[in-house]
Amino acid sequence: MTTSAQAQVIPLHAPGREKPADVEAHAGEAPADAPVVAFPTRSAPAEEPPAPERDALSRFLGFLRHRLTGDYDVDEFGFDPELTDNLLLPPLRLLYEKYFRVTTHGAENLPADGGALIVCNHSGTVPLDAVMTAVAVHDETPGHRHLRMLGADLVFQTPLLGALARKTGQTLACTADAERLLCSGELVGVWPEGYKGIGKPFSARYRLQRFGRGGFVSAALRTRVPIIPCSIVGAEEIYPKIGDLKPLARLLGLPYFPVTPFFPLLGPLGAIPLPTKWHIEFGEPIRTDGFADEDLDDPMLVFSLTDQVRESIQTTLYRRLAHRRSAFKD
């Protein structure tokens, strides 16, 4: 008879297989809950754009809505402030801040409210100095005031440009319109040198031309508003005018047809302005409210104030140029 092999029995609690003491101590207790990890049931919301971007977007959407519904204001001169702020100022501000890198001085001389006449030197072959001054006034005044510029007849006779000028608040350079704007408490900008200023040759840069008959001074005297001299350095070099094609200018009905080192030689590329560094300085206001009524039409008073404004601008230009090391850096 063959004896079958017996299976080896290993006791559960044989030596070396004792339960740890802490396990025996907690044998009668309920097991501790395992930590619970919460899984998101939906994706986190996308980050909102920064506040300035949201404000710009909401303003633009509001502008489009007002255009579609016709719910916007235009004054008696055709000025559309909403169109100016949302459509025209942003690209001009890029030129102002990034291309010409304009530094503004004396912004505290601009009144926070009420009328004033800002008188500027004119230069640059193409009047970019006027629109850069408008950006400076808007961005440097606490209430973001608009500069109501007085323009020449040619501006308003040019198709599209004339309508655009009206939309941005410009009007004809005449005493009647200037007085109406000043009486309404507006900041009015005037460039008394006119075409003689912007069309002068490069060799005459920063030398002021004649200021006309002083019509701007008469408007300021009658409305009792201050005159603020404004000096612009940097605009003279954007299109160095070295010649004038007079026959072509007469054919096109222009006061001049400029020749620069790059235009018309390089065609459209020559029309790109040079990236000079600009300084716009607003001088101390010249008050006009201290004169008697009978003196307002005195030609000698008008001539004296005109000469005072001109001398103030010319002196500031020379002072700025004396401290300038380069037309492109500072």
Side-chain angles (χ1 to χ4, degrees):
M1 180 177 179
T2 306
T3 303
S4 60
Q6 293 182 353
Q8 184 180 6
V9 178
I10 302 176
L12 291 175
H13 302 289
R17 298 184 63 89
E18 296 87 354
K19 291 182 180 181
D22 58 342
V23 174
E24 291 182 353
H26 298 284
E29 297 180 4
D33 293 336
V36 178
V37 179
F39 290 93
T41 57
R42 59 180 180 180
S43 59
E47 293 185 3
E48 294 185 0
E53 294 182 10
R54 291 201 305 271
D55 293 343
L57 179 60
S58 61
R59 285 197 304 269
F60 184 70
L61 292 177
F63 166 73
L64 291 180
R65 183 174 65 253
H66 295 160
R67 294 295 116 177
L68 293 174
T69 61
D71 184 21
Y72 57 91
D73 296 324
V74 177
D75 72 3
E76 59 179 316
F77 293 94
F79 176 44
D80 187 339
E82 188 182 45
L83 177 74
T84 302
D85 290 345
N86 291 280
L87 200 62
L88 300 176
L89 276 177
L92 292 177
R93 191 172 288 115
L94 287 177
L95 279 177
Y96 180 89
E97 296 177 350
K98 305 299 183 183
Y99 196 77
F100 294 129
R101 296 151 290 138
V102 180
T103 300
T104 304
H105 312 270
E108 65 277 5
N109 292 320
L110 297 171
D113 52 49
L117 185 66
I118 301 175
V119 183
C120 316
N121 61 303
H122 216 6
S123 63
T125 306
V126 175
L128 291 177
D129 54 355
V131 291
M132 292 297 102
T133 306
V135 177
V137 170
H138 181 271
D139 289 0
E140 298 296 334
T141 51
H144 298 298
R145 304 190 67 183
H146 292 95
L147 181 64
R148 308 299 297 270
M149 297 181 282
L150 303 181
D153 298 0
L154 180 62
V155 173
F156 303 99
Q157 294 169 358
T158 304
L160 298 179
L161 179 60
L164 186 62
R166 289 287 183 187
K167 290 288 186 181
T168 58
Q170 299 184 48
T171 190
L172 193 62
C174 65
T175 304
D177 282 0
E179 290 183 7
R180 286 165 62 195
L181 287 168
L182 291 171
C183 287
S184 301
E186 299 284 353
L187 291 180
V188 178
V190 63
W191 288 259
E193 292 177 279
Y195 295 128
K196 299 186 302 294
I198 56 173
K200 65 178 175 288
F202 188 65
S203 59
R205 61 192 179 278
Y206 297 113
R207 294 205 296 268
L208 294 183
Q209 306 299 300
R210 195 171 68 89
F211 265 23
R213 301 174 182 175
F216 67 93
V217 169
S218 298
L221 283 169
R222 292 193 182 94
T223 54
R224 307 288 188 172
V225 301
I227 301 173
I228 301 175
C230 176
S231 307
I232 305 168
V233 171
E236 293 275 16
E237 294 89 359
I238 60 173
Y239 293 113
K241 182 172 176 276
I242 57 176
D244 186 2
L245 300 178
K246 295 184 182 298
L248 187 56
R250 286 194 295 268
L251 180 64
L252 297 176
L254 300 174
Y256 54 85
F257 192 92
V259 176
T260 74
F262 311 104
F263 182 83
L265 181 63
L266 299 182
L269 287 177
I272 299 175
L274 297 178
T276 55
K277 164 68 180 176
W278 287 33
H279 292 270
I280 298 179
E281 180 168 347
F282 299 100
E284 293 186 7
I286 299 172
R287 298 185 59 176
T288 63
D289 56 356
F291 299 100
D293 292 342
E294 58 269 19
D295 295 332
L296 300 184
D297 295 321
D298 183 359
M300 290 306 297
L301 174 61
V302 172
F303 175 80
S304 176
L305 285 176
T306 301
D307 192 56
Q308 181 181 352
V309 174
R310 188 179 182 279
E311 284 300 316
S312 175
I313 296 173
Q314 185 69 81
T315 301
T316 304
L317 290 176
Y318 285 152
R319 174 171 53 81
R320 284 272 160 211
L321 291 170
H323 292 87
R324 187 175 72 161
R325 290 176 295 176
S326 169
F328 298 94
K329 292 183 180 180
D330 60 5

